[in-house]
């Protein structure tokens, strides 16, 4: 038995009419013949709601004693024993009395759904768990009873019951919600116009989010590629500093203003491991952005503004959110900063938001793990200070009359050497020491302007100067290398930690993992290659990026995974120290590939199980539905062959007509069975060509009585790309089903129209219709809706029609007919050109 479906009436405040709407829906379902009962509905003394309970079957409640009082709760066991198709359960967020089967009513509902029973329930927006703090800040009332958001979000249908604050207050004043002694207090407190307006806005925004999800699903089902609504994709540039949390929350608020908004947080680190980010803070920000429904990305790039813009354009972003620079005013002499550069180079396609925060203009402070290779700007400054600095100092001291002494001159030159070491590392410092010793000898050691040194003491002083300079430069360079190693190890640990987490969660797909490799190592393309054995050709199991390589030897970097698999990267040659992390990615890629293949095997196993189920159902159908027309044919033939009865011409004609009717039914049943078998085995190969609908649809109406169908196909309708044979069979099944359920004297309408690059064929009947919860089940094989008699078909017509429609890249769905009935919507792909007007077929045809 499948899981039941949940329908929720969501209201902005008590009294908007959720329970009344739920009971009205129950009466509609009962009138349609649905087995619907009341599990628990509380009318709270409201006369109109109480009247709606009349005529509905109520399951007895369970009585519980608690603290000397007797309470009633829904009896879950009684509902399960009754086994209705639909049960009404009011107040989804209600907390059950201690001693009940479950602590919360939504847990009772979960049990009913698991048992295959459909549930209709109600809840107010203030009872959603995530909105508790917001509602308390608006109304001043903390909701004690809440329901997890995910429970409501998983509902199959959510219907908003809305009412303006003024109308709700009038209903309250008339005594339709609370008793008269409570009206004044309610109107002056919880039911103030401002409170109701804010709650109404919360409900509308929450439901709008669900509507967008339904819209995206509809567009996907109907293969609609044209843009209906712009989607905001917001990239947040974070540095690992404390301001990152502010930026993420600001971006999330921007995303909420647009339907389907998405937040992508990106942290850019240098390729040499140079970073000032706190690993702990990065982990907190990663968790924050994921909790808000966004994604976290780690990108490598030496030019941060260019890397950020490249990433934003690569993900088709519409906005970039950056924080105000933490640099002090004097630090802008080194450049305009990341924010100004990104804003200048973003172009007209990207909006850049600069968000202020508490850390703005306070300075970067000491980096957590500063260091690594010093980068080109610092090396250039180191060489300038180490080579040009001594020249400027020598010329300055030569033109000053004051005699500072050789010792002071050496200290001044040594300070330049130390500065060169701090800025540029070992080589600029050594050059500064050598050049500085030469200048000391030339300008300040007698004899002047000669390379020789007259006083041996000066020789010792210069040697000590050179030794100290070399020692300082060596210590600075060693510290830089050690810091670089520590930074690389920390970066590797972060990546490996993320990789391990994704493995444990089992959430990384192969494409996502390869994309992570490409982002992490700043590559153009990444491919996972494999082969069956030594000497066999390589095949690509997965790839990302443009023009992936086809052989490991063609890649800039290849990482073997076992004997017959390799990870191939193109874009640049990686240093040796990066291969350790790359090896971890390669091993994980192999694991993900194996997991995907196991999932595919499991899916094939499920398909085989479904095939077995179909065969079992087929045998059951053959045992009755196919035997019925055969029995009728045999009885008629036996009667005609009887020698002891003299049949009149009318009797013989009637018996022959019965034989013909039974043969037609048998042919239809066998045809549908064969078609379903072809669909299940995947042997349907449509021959797509362009054709006019009015050349196919009239041919599909031969199996229905005359004057039972009205046909409306405009002459200006585009041609469609279909298989004419499959389309004829699909339309025939749909029309025959509609005629079967259409009332006597009511014709079925078959109308066609265009919708963008699609053509819709609608088959409209005025029959009993189908409830929403059964609209998908009617397309399943061997399903009859309602009380259709056995022998009227094996329940394959609509299943075959949908299978043929999907084989032609179309869709088949059921909708309610306004005024009652069911409309089948067959959506097909329109051809590029439009059909020419034709005079041989009228736009209005009656079959």
């Amino acid at each position: 038995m499948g899981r039941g479906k949940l329908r929720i009436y969501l209201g902005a405040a008590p009294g908007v009419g959720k329970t009344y709407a739920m009971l009205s829906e129950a009466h509609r379902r009962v009138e349609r013949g649905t087995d619907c009962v009341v599990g628990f509905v509380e009318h709270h003394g409201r006369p109109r709601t109480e009247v709606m309970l009349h005529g509905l079957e109520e399951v007895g409640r369970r009585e519980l004693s608690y603290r000397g009082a007797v309470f009633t709760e829904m009896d879950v066991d009684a509902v399960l024993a009754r086994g209705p198709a639909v049960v009404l359960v009011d107040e989804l967020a209600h907390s059950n009395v201690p001693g009940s089967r479950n602590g919360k009513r939504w847990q009772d509902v979960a049990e009913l759904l698991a048992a295959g029973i459909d549930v209709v329930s109600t809840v107010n927006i203030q009872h959603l768990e995530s909105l508790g703090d917001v509602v308390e800040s608006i109304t001043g009332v903390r909701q004690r009873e809440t329901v997890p958001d995910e429970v409501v979000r998983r509902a199959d249908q959510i219907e908003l019951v809305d009412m303006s604050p003024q109308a709700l207050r009038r209903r309250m004043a008339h005594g339709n919600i609370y008793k008269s002694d409570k009206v004044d207090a309610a109107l002056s407190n919880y039911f103030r116009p401002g409170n109701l307006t804010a709650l109404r806005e919360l409900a509308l925004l929450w439901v709008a989010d669900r509507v967008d999800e339904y819209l995206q699903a509809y567009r996907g089902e109907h293969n609609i590629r044209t843009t209906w609504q712009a989607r905001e994709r917001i990239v947040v540039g974070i540095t690992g500093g404390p301001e990152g949390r502010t930026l993420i929350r600001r971006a999330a608020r921007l995303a909420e203003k647009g339907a389907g908004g998405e937040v992508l947080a990106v942290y850019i680190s240098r390729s040499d491991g140079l970073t000032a980010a706190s690993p702990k803070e990065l982990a907190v920000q990663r968790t924050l952005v994921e909790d808000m429904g966004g994604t976290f990305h780690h990108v490598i790039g030496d030019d941060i503004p260019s890397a950020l813009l490249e990433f934003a354009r690569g993900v088709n972003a519409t906005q970039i959110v950056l924080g105000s620079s933490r640099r002090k005013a004097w630090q802008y002499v080194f450049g305009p900063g990341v924010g100004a550069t990104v804003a200048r180079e973003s172009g007209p396609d990207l909006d850049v938001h600069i968000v202020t925060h508490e850390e703005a203009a306070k300075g970067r402070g000491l980096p957590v793990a500063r260091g690594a290779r010093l980068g080109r700007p610092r090396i250039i400054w180191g060489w300038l200070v180490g080579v040009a600095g001594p020249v400027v100092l020598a010329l300055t001291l030569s033109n000053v009359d004051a005699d500072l002494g050789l010792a002071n001159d050496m200290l001044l030159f040594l300070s330049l050497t130390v500065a060169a070491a701090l800025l540029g590392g070992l080589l600029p410092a050594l050059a500064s020491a050598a050049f500085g010793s030469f200048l000391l000898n030339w300008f300040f050691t007698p004899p002047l302007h000669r390379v020789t040194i007259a006083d041996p003491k000066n020789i010792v002083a210069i040697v000590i100067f050179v030794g100290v300079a070399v020692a300082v430069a060596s210590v600075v360079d060693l510290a830089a290398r050690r810091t670089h190693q520590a930074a690389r190890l920390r970066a590797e640990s972060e990546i490996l930690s993320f990789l391990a987490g994704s493995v444990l969660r089992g959430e990384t797909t192969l494409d996502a993992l390869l994309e992570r490799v490409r982002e992490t190592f700043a590559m153009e393309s990444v491919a996972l290659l494999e082969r069956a054995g030594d000497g066999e050709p390589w095949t690509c199991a997965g790839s990302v990026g443009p023009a992936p390589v086809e052989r490991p030897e063609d890649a800039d970097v290849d990482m073997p995974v076992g004997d017959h698999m390799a990870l191939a990267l193109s874009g640049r040659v990686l240093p040796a120290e990066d291969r350790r992390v790359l090896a971890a990615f390669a091993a994980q890629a192999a694991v993900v590939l194996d997991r995907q293949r196991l999932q595919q095997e499991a899916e094939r196993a499920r398909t085989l199980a479904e095939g077995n189920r179909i065969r079992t159902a087929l045998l059951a159908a053959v045992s009755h539905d196919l035997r019925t027309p055969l029995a009728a044919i045999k009885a008629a033939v036996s009667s005609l062959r009887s020698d002891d009865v003299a049949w009149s011409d009318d009797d013989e004609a009637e018996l022959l007509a019965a034989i013909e009717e039974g043969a037609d039914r048998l042919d239809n049943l066998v045809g549908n069975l064969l078609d379903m078998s072809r669909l299940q085995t995947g042997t349907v190969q449509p021959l797509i060509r362009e054709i006019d609908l009015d050349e196919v649809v009239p041919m599909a109406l031969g199996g229905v009585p005359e004057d039972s169908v009205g046909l409306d196909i405009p002459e200006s309708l585009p041609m469609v790309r279909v298989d004419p044979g499959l389309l004829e069979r699909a339309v025939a099944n749909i029309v025959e089903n509609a005629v079967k359920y259409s009332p006597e004297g009511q014709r079925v309408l078959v109308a066609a129209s265009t919708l963008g690059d699609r053509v819709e064929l609608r088959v409209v009947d005025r029959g009993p219709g189908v409830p929403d919860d059964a609209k998908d089940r009617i397309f399943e094989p061997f399903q009859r809706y309602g009380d259709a008699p056995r022998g009227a078909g094996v329940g394959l017509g609509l299943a075959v029609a949908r299978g043929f429609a999907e084989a032609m890249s179309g869709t088949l769905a059921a909708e309610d007919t306004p005024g009652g009935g069911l409309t089948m919507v067959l959506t097909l792909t329109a051809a590029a050109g439009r059909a020419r007007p034709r005079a041989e077929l009228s736009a209005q045809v009656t079959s």
Side-chain angles (χ1 to χ4, degrees):
M1 178 180 295
R3 180 179 175 84
K5 293 190 176 181
L6 175 61
R7 178 170 184 167
I8 292 179
Y9 287 92
L10 177 68
V16 295
K18 304 180 303 301
T19 304
Y20 190 92
M22 179 181 67
L23 293 172
S24 299
E25 173 65 17
H27 281 285
R28 286 192 293 270
R29 297 197 183 200
V30 170
E31 291 172 359
R32 293 196 298 261
T34 303
D35 183 14
C36 181
V37 302
V38 176
F40 188 98
V41 171
E42 185 60 64
H43 55 75
H44 295 291
R46 300 168 188 169
R48 296 187 179 182
T49 305
E50 185 176 2
V51 169
M52 293 297 294
L53 285 168
H54 297 166
L56 297 177
E57 177 185 350
E58 295 190 55
V59 178
R61 301 183 184 183
R62 182 184 179 188
E63 294 186 352
L64 295 168
S65 297
Y66 181 66
R67 293 183 177 178
V70 177
F71 299 88
T72 60
E73 296 287 1
M74 181 175 66
D75 193 336
V76 179
D77 291 326
V79 175
L80 293 174
R82 171 63 175 78
V86 182
V87 61
L88 308 184
V89 182
D90 203 6
E91 299 177 356
L92 186 64
H94 172 73
S95 297
N96 293 329
V97 174
S100 301
R101 183 187 185 98
N102 296 298
K104 290 286 191 175
R105 184 164 292 165
W106 62 264
Q107 295 171 328
D108 295 337
V109 168
E111 284 196 37
L112 298 177
L113 294 173
I117 300 174
D118 294 348
V119 178
V120 183
S121 188
T122 64
V123 71
N124 284 328
I125 192 68
Q126 68 264 27
H127 293 298
L128 295 182
E129 199 166 72
S130 66
L131 299 178
D133 295 339
V134 178
V135 173
E136 183 179 10
S137 65
I138 295 172
T139 64
V141 178
R142 181 67 180 183
Q143 297 297 327
R144 303 288 183 184
E145 297 182 329
T146 60
V147 59
D149 289 47
E150 190 59 26
V151 173
V152 183
R153 283 187 175 275
R154 285 202 303 265
D156 299 279
Q157 297 180 54
I158 299 176
E159 183 172 336
L160 177 65
V161 183
D162 190 24
M163 179 177 289
S164 68
Q166 294 78 10
L168 183 58
R169 285 172 58 84
R170 283 197 300 270
R171 177 181 287 185
M172 172 72 71
H174 293 159
N176 294 332
I177 300 176
Y178 293 158
K179 294 181 179 180
S180 57
D181 57 340
K182 298 181 179 179
V183 169
D184 292 336
L187 289 175
S188 60
N189 290 283
Y190 193 91
F191 285 80
R192 294 195 302 268
N195 290 355
L196 296 178
T197 302
L199 292 174
R200 188 187 189 197
E201 183 178 11
L202 279 178
L204 291 171
L205 290 174
W206 197 92
V207 174
D209 180 58
R210 288 288 294 164
V211 171
D212 182 67
E213 294 178 13
Y214 289 139
L215 177 61
Q216 296 300 328
Y218 176 84
R219 286 166 53 84
E221 292 172 359
H222 291 74
N223 198 27
I224 298 174
R225 302 301 182 188
T226 56
T227 301
W228 283 5
Q229 187 175 1
R231 182 183 183 185
E232 294 291 347
R233 305 196 77 182
I234 303 173
V235 170
V236 187
I238 59 177
T239 63
E243 76 281 358
R245 306 183 196 183
T246 302
L247 302 183
I248 292 171
R249 292 190 178 96
R250 175 61 173 166
R253 290 196 295 272
L254 289 174
E256 290 174 355
K257 295 180 180 179
E262 183 178 359
V263 176
L264 300 91
V266 56
Y267 168 67
I268 301 175
S269 61
R270 299 187 185 276
S271 59
D272 55 9
L274 184 65
T275 177
S278 165
K280 181 178 180 181
E281 184 63 29
L282 275 180
V284 171
Q285 293 175 15
R286 177 189 288 113
T287 302
L288 177 62
V289 71
E290 291 175 351
D291 289 343
M292 293 186 172
T295 56
F296 182 88
H297 301 266
H298 185 184
V299 176
I300 292 179
D302 292 323
D303 188 345
I304 293 179
S306 298
L308 181 60
L309 289 171
E310 181 180 355
F311 175 82
R313 293 191 176 102
V315 299
N316 196 29
T318 58
Q319 302 181 54
I320 297 178
V321 175
L322 299 173
S324 299
S325 178
R326 285 183 287 158
R327 296 191 297 178
K328 293 184 179 296
W330 64 269
Q331 292 178 307
Y332 282 96
V333 300
F334 298 106
V338 173
T341 305
V342 170
R344 184 181 66 246
E345 299 178 0
S346 61
D349 56 337
L350 276 172
D351 295 334
V352 180
H353 301 266
I354 305 297
V355 179
T356 58
H357 51 85
E358 295 180 353
E359 302 297 323
K362 290 185 177 181
R364 294 185 180 272
L366 293 176
V368 176
R370 189 73 175 175
R373 297 165 188 169
L374 300 175
R376 181 177 300 176
R378 288 188 59 178
I379 292 176
I380 293 175
W381 277 103
W383 281 101
L384 288 175
V385 172
V387 177
V391 174
V392 174
L393 179 60
L395 294 176
T396 302
L397 294 176
S398 298
N399 294 324
V400 174
D401 295 335
D403 185 8
L404 299 178
L406 182 60
N408 291 328
D409 294 335
M410 285 185 175
L411 289 176
L412 291 175
F413 277 95
L414 183 60
S415 64
L416 291 177
T417 302
V418 172
L422 292 174
L423 288 173
L426 181 61
L427 292 180
L430 294 178
S432 177
F435 196 45
S437 62
F438 170 77
L439 294 176
L440 282 171
N441 182 18
W442 184 267
F443 286 101
F444 305 106
T445 305
L448 302 178
H449 307 300
R450 294 180 63 182
V451 183
T452 59
I453 301 175
D455 189 351
K457 295 181 180 179
N458 293 336
I459 297 176
V460 175
I462 290 178
V463 169
I464 293 174
F465 165 76
V466 173
V468 171
V470 171
V472 170
S474 300
V475 170
V476 172
D477 183 70
L478 179 63
R481 284 189 282 112
R482 292 290 184 266
T483 307
H484 167 65
Q485 293 173 359
R488 284 199 59 83
L489 291 174
R490 191 192 65 236
E492 290 179 7
S493 66
E494 291 177 8
I495 294 173
L496 294 176
S497 174
F498 171 80
L499 195 59
S502 66
V503 173
L504 294 175
R505 292 188 298 268
E507 60 186 19
T508 303
T509 63
L510 182 59
D511 289 343
L513 181 64
L514 296 181
E515 182 63 30
R516 175 72 64 176
V517 174
R518 191 172 74 91
E519 289 180 357
T520 300
F521 297 100
M523 289 293 181
E524 294 179 359
S525 64
V526 179
L528 182 62
L529 306 176
E530 62 176 349
R531 59 182 177 181
D534 295 335
E536 297 292 329
W538 290 94
T539 60
C540 182
S543 64
V544 294
V549 298
E550 298 180 355
R551 299 183 304 169
E553 50 266 29
D554 297 334
D556 294 319
V557 180
D558 71 284
M559 175 59 63
V561 187
D563 296 331
H564 304 119
M565 188 176 292
L567 190 65
L569 296 80
S570 299
R572 65 188 181 95
V573 178
L574 289 180
E577 57 265 27
D578 285 341
R579 295 183 67 87
R580 179 170 52 188
V581 177
L582 184 60
F585 273 109
Q588 173 62 5
V591 172
V592 171
L593 180 61
D594 289 341
R595 184 166 61 237
Q596 286 187 354
R597 287 175 174 170
L598 289 174
Q599 291 174 348
Q600 293 171 359
E601 290 292 337
E603 185 63 31
R604 282 194 288 269
R606 283 192 293 269
T607 302
L608 292 175
E610 178 66 17
N612 290 333
R613 188 187 70 82
I614 292 294
R615 283 191 288 273
T616 302
L618 175 60
L619 292 175
V622 170
S623 66
H624 186 284
D625 294 288
L626 294 182
R627 291 169 62 96
T628 301
L630 285 174
I633 293 173
K634 181 174 177 58
V637 171
S638 298
S639 299
L640 288 174
R641 288 174 56 86
S642 176
D643 297 332
D644 54 352
V645 178
W647 300 104
S648 64
D649 292 341
D650 292 340
D651 293 336
E652 289 184 356
E654 185 177 351
L655 291 172
L656 290 174
I659 294 173
E660 184 178 10
E661 180 183 357
D664 290 340
R665 287 176 56 195
L666 186 61
D667 179 68
N668 185 49
L669 292 174
V670 171
N672 278 332
L673 289 171
L674 293 176
D675 290 338
M676 181 52 62
S677 176
R678 293 168 58 201
L679 290 170
Q680 291 295 326
T681 56
T683 57
V684 176
Q685 298 294 334
L687 301 176
I688 303 298
R689 65 185 181 90
E690 296 182 2
I691 194 170
D692 293 318
L693 275 181
D694 53 15
E695 296 181 16
V696 179
V697 176
M699 299 173 61
L701 307 182
V704 296
E706 295 183 0
D707 298 329
S708 62
V709 178
L711 188 62
D712 181 8
I713 300 181
E715 294 183 355
S716 59
L717 202 67
M719 302 177 74
V720 291
R721 291 180 50 80
V722 296
D723 183 316
L726 298 184
L727 178 60
E728 180 182 346
R729 190 58 181 269
V731 174
N733 286 353
I734 298 171
V735 172
E736 289 174 7
N737 185 79
V739 171
K740 182 192 305 182
Y741 289 100
S742 187
E744 189 72 25
Q746 290 281 349
R747 290 195 305 172
V748 172
L749 174 63
V750 179
S753 60
T754 59
L755 178 63
D757 59 347
R758 315 287 285 178
V759 173
E760 287 189 350
L761 184 69
R762 292 178 172 266
V763 180
V764 184
D765 68 61
R766 294 295 180 179
V770 175
D772 293 338
D773 55 3
K775 284 187 172 63
D776 287 333
R777 292 201 299 269
I778 61 177
F779 293 103
E780 297 178 4
F782 306 103
Q783 295 292 321
R784 297 185 184 86
Y785 174 65
D787 56 353
R790 295 195 63 85
V794 293
L796 288 176
L798 294 181
V800 169
R802 172 173 275 189
F804 283 171
E806 293 175 350
M808 297 182 291
S809 300
T811 60
L812 178 61
E815 297 179 356
D816 291 329
T817 300
L822 188 67
T823 298
M824 290 291 178
V825 183
L826 177 61
T827 306
L828 305 169
T829 303
R834 301 187 66 84
R836 297 189 301 273
R838 295 172 300 281
E840 63 271 19
L841 182 65
S842 172
Q844 296 289 339
V845 181
T846 300
S847 173

